[in-house]
Amino acid sequence: MAGHRRCCVHLAALAVLTAGCTLPPPQPTSQGRPEILFYWGVDGRNRLDTTSGTLVKDMIKDPPLVVRFPLSDQEKHRIIVLADSLGFFDLPVHVAPPDTAGVRSVMTPCDEYLLRISVGTWRHTSYWTTCDRSPCLECGRAEVLGRLLRDYIESRPAFQRLPAARGGYY
């Protein structure tokens, strides 16, 4: 039952991100435009930076590929709405399982994430990893958000036109 509920939350959040959202795009203010910096993948080697309008794709054996990858204000707004709906703005800077003296469940290679959303001088940043598989409610929320953002970026035609990386991590 918990898996079904998790799947429904995942699908609902994805629908908010990808569907024709009727929310108006954020308006530029004296505070500034919304900007997003998102790292994901092994060692966080993939990067979306809406300030520069670029995407860095980890090519594993080859040098990273840097391409133009602008997001519209509407797309940024959808990401911010999704992040808010998943509690991103309540997450601490470093999301990690509680430090206990018990046995930890560690996995490698693993994904590392950093998400920074900023408007003018205001910003919120959180980073997390999938290396430590110990139970953690905040980690689960962060991982869902990371997967949804990664899936959204990687589903865009501009990303799909990029060459596949050679090699793999082990």
Side-chain angles (χ1 to χ4, degrees):
M1 187 61 139
H4 176 71
R5 218 174 293 136
R6 195 170 344 153
C7 180
C8 290
V9 169
H10 183 89
L11 290 173
L14 186 59
V16 168
L17 185 60
T18 59
C21 186
T22 58
L23 296 171
Q27 298 300 314
T29 66
S30 59
Q31 299 274 322
R33 298 185 93 113
E35 298 298 346
I36 297 166
L37 179 64
F38 179 56
Y39 289 80
W40 77 98
V42 174
D43 294 333
R45 292 181 182 169
N46 298 292
R47 179 180 69 240
L48 172 70
D49 183 347
T50 65
T51 302
S52 65
T54 59
L55 174 97
V56 176
K57 182 179 179 188
D58 178 18
M59 299 303 287
I60 304 173
K61 287 188 173 185
D62 298 319
L65 187 61
V66 181
V67 297
R68 292 233 349 102
F69 203 85
L71 291 183
S72 69
D73 284 348
Q74 181 73 21
E75 289 172 303
K76 290 187 246 181
H77 184 69
R78 288 178 185 165
I79 290 170
I80 291 168
V81 168
L82 173 67
D84 185 43
S85 72
L86 291 173
F88 169 72
F89 300 105
D90 297 326
L91 293 175
V93 172
H94 183 211
V95 180
D99 191 15
T100 63
V103 175
R104 310 226 33 115
S105 174
V106 178
M107 171 181 83
T108 59
C110 57
D111 292 331
E112 295 181 23
Y113 295 89
L114 177 139
L115 177 59
R116 174 178 295 143
I117 296 176
S118 57
V119 179
T121 58
W122 178 90
R123 74 176 53 164
H124 182 77
T125 303
S126 286
Y127 64 92
W128 62 95
T129 177
T130 61
C131 298
D132 190 336
R133 304 308 304 160
S134 302
C136 168
L137 180 61
E138 288 177 334
C139 302
R141 288 191 348 230
E143 284 181 33
V144 167
L145 178 58
R147 275 194 311 274
L148 289 171
L149 289 176
R150 182 193 66 216
D151 292 349
Y152 176 68
I153 292 164
E154 293 177 0
S155 72
R156 293 189 64 209
F159 188 92
Q160 292 180 352
R161 286 191 296 269
L162 298 175
R166 294 183 319 122
Y169 296 102
Y170 54 91

